[in-house]
Amino acid sequence: MFIHLTGLVFDYRIALRELTLGPLGCDVDLARKALVGLGTNEMLLTELILGRPGHEIRWLKTAYRLRYGKDLVDAVKSDLSGKTERMFTMALNTQKPVDSPYVGVDHTRVNADVETLHNAAKKRDEIPFFEILINRSDAHLAAVISAYSTRYKSLSKIIKKTFSGTTEEALLYIVHGVKPKRDQQGYWRDAKLLEKSMAGLGTKDTQLIYRLVRAHWNPQRLEAIKDAYKRRYGKPLENRVKGETSGPYRDLLIAVVKSSEAGAAPK
């Protein structure tokens, strides 16, 4: 009982801390947590870094240096190695553009990328996957995913068949964030990740906290994720969180979940 209560207090403090840090401060804090201690939290790094436009990555790197006096790229390089290190380093130097209504998709380049990915999959070469999925705009990637599935088969299935471990998870994270079959915004992906935080024996509180807190910074996005969750799992996200938590910790997370509703804000 004492251990359970201690855990609840610890989780409450973590959630409260992340809420008080604000969006950028929270991400900086999470990046640090992903890199310190025993082993690297590669899934957390994936959610923090991959799929983000270049200007957001520059904000993150600048804020990390100001907070910790160290370059985030150097921190990643010193903590990781091999192809995983190269993937995250590429992502931290991305020039990924923001979608613009004034710039259309270059279908010639889309077709070239489809062929590049197809050939790379046959060779089990992840580098072209990194280069394309990390640096292309969301609209371009959505067009690539559609064209690939029309010409060959599902790009998600190809990634699952070709790669494994962190590489597979990271590439799927990007693809599922822009997949035309769903919402092209990653709502379904994020709803699944929230469920994954609560499914099975014991709640993965650290994941649940940072996924809810990070989603709540954008109320419209959180509402869309909640809608996707209810359609996929047949129950409101709020009810699921209530069933997996208790005490003041539960109250705080429910306030976060409800913060996207009109006139509501976490207390």
Side-chain angles (χ1 to χ4, degrees), residues 94-112:
T94 184
Q95 298 300 315
K96 179 183 177 73
V98 177
D99 289 338
S100 169
Y102 305 110
V103 180
V105 173
D106 183 343
H107 291 285
T108 299
R109 195 180 189 193
V110 167
N111 289 329

Side-chain angles (χ1 to χ4, degrees), residues 95-147:
Q95 298 300 315
K96 179 183 177 73
V98 177
D99 289 338
S100 169
Y102 305 110
V103 180
V105 173
D106 183 343
H107 291 285
T108 299
R109 195 180 189 193
V110 167
N111 289 329
D113 284 347
V114 167
E115 291 308 310
T116 297
L117 292 175
H118 179 63
N119 291 329
K122 290 191 289 187
K123 300 174 184 176
R124 297 185 179 276
D125 181 1
E126 55 275 281
I127 301 305
F129 277 82
F130 295 165
E131 291 174 345
I132 291 171
L133 296 185
I134 286 171
N135 292 308
R136 304 292 191 263
S137 72
D138 288 348
H140 182 94
L141 289 179
V144 168
I145 293 167
S146 293

Side-chain angles (χ1 to χ4, degrees), residues 76-101:
V76 167
K77 285 183 176 180
S78 66
D79 219 54
L80 298 170
S81 62
K83 294 170 182 176
T84 302
E85 178 264 313
R86 184 169 181 179
M87 176 182 66
F88 284 116
T89 299
M90 288 174 64
L92 286 169
N93 289 290
T94 184
Q95 298 300 315
K96 179 183 177 73
V98 177
D99 289 338
S100 169

Side-chain angles (χ1 to χ4, degrees), residues 28 45 60 67 70 74 99 106 124 159 168 186 193 205 219 248 252 259-260:
V28 169
L45 280 183
L60 179 64
R67 176 68 179 84
K70 185 174 183 179
D74 291 341
D99 289 338
D106 183 343
R124 297 185 179 276
I159 291 171
E168 177 190 353
L193 287 172
D205 290 286
L252 182 59
S259 68
S260 56

